[in-house]
Amino acid sequence: MSDNTKEKIKNAAEELITRKGYKDTSVKDIAKSAEVAVGTIYRYYKSKDEILTDMGRLDLKDVSYSQDRRRKQIMEAALDVFGTKGYTRTNMEDIAREIGMSKGSIYQYFESKDKLFISMIKESAQMQTIFNRTENGTEQATIEDVLTGIGMTFLSIFKDPQKIKLVRVIIGESPNFPEIGELFLHGVVEEAAERLGKLLKLHVPSGMDPVLVVRLFIGSLWSFVMLQEMIPAKSKKYDYQDVVKNAVRIFRYGAFSKE
């Protein structure tokens, strides 16, 4: 009976600490989850630490009260290391050292380095929500307004140094890991083009593919980003607003000119 009770206590402690964090989990919480009295826990253990010691899981003391925030911290630290050493030369020990955690604690959040890297790319795919800003009022807008909104929104992404760093790593590692490039292409580029293509349906001449039009327009801005933001150089830095204004004019009087 005592062994069964101890197992219930340990299972409850592991589940709660993993979900809530070590500091925010009390002995009372563990007792309630295990459906035993607080006094019953103290009959077997003097403290939470003794429960973790019996489990062989002292690493759970490193679990933050905010799982989401800790995940982001790990991904940010990993990105710094990937950006410096490259993906293939980085191991989990490097990342643990960068963030000041144990390697075991990182494995609580990510099963492997590959899973960690893929999670980082999926997080970057959430940047798609930024395109929602261009979807308001497009029915009454002109083609110049729509393209300007798309262009400024796209370039605003690259004001975030972390996203620039991630794209650099993706480009550098894609030849060795094609699935990484494919995930970024399908999860970020193609989804954005599909969504924004719908905004251009009212403006694109018959016979033209609005999704292709969007990709061509963003492609011209991507070339600009590659040269100005991602390749270190002392060349002139152009203002984003001027870049988009000129790109829209070039595109407008090309793709949308009347024959």
Side-chain angles (χ1 to χ4, degrees), residues 79-215:
L79 183 54
D80 287 338
V81 181
F82 289 147
T84 302
K85 298 185 64 175
Y87 178 80
T88 55
R89 294 191 300 275
T90 296
N91 55 44
M92 292 297 254
E93 287 87 350
D94 297 324
I95 298 169
R97 193 179 306 112
E98 177 72 17
I99 197 173
M101 292 175 62
S102 67
K103 186 172 69 171
S105 296
I106 293 180
Y107 279 120
Q108 293 173 32
Y109 297 87
F110 303 99
E111 296 177 10
S112 65
K113 185 179 73 170
D114 290 353
K115 292 288 181 65
L116 169 56
F117 195 44
I118 294 300
S119 294
M120 289 164 57
I121 296 176
K122 287 182 177 179
E123 286 287 323
S124 78
Q126 292 179 6
M127 73 172 77
Q128 295 307 307
T129 57
I130 201 170
F131 286 99
N132 290 335
R133 296 206 304 262
T134 65
E135 294 180 355
N136 298 321
T138 54
E139 291 184 3
Q140 293 78 32
T142 65
I143 184 59
E144 287 87 352
D145 292 335
V146 176
L147 287 176
T148 298
I150 291 172
M152 290 303 297
T153 301
F154 175 75
L155 290 183
S156 70
I157 293 170
F158 295 93
K159 290 182 178 179
D160 183 346
Q162 291 296 99
K163 287 188 172 66
I164 292 177
K165 191 180 296 184
L166 177 59
V167 173
R168 281 200 183 108
V169 175
I170 291 171
I171 292 173
E173 299 295 339
S174 290
N176 297 321
F177 298 91
E179 66 276 12
I180 290 174
E182 288 175 7
L183 180 58
F184 182 74
L185 177 65
H186 298 315
V188 179
V189 178
E190 291 184 354
E191 286 186 16
E194 287 287 340
R195 181 182 303 173
L196 297 176
K198 294 177 182 178
L199 304 183
L200 290 180
K201 270 189 175 181
L202 298 175
H203 305 279
V204 174
S206 176
M208 294 187 70
D209 181 351
V211 175
L212 179 58
V213 168
V214 169
R215 293 193 64 170

Side-chain angles (χ1 to χ4, degrees), residues 16-25 48 60 63-67:
L16 285 173
I17 293 173
T18 300
R19 179 162 52 86
K20 296 177 60 178
Y22 176 80
K23 291 182 179 179
D24 283 356
T25 299
K48 285 190 296 182
L60 288 177
V63 177
S64 170
Y65 64 89
S66 173
Q67 297 289 306

Side-chain angles (χ1 to χ4, degrees), residues 38-51:
V38 172
T40 300
I41 292 182
Y42 284 117
R43 188 183 307 161
Y44 299 103
Y45 304 103
K46 294 180 181 179
S47 64
K48 285 190 296 182
D49 286 5
E50 280 200 0
I51 299 175

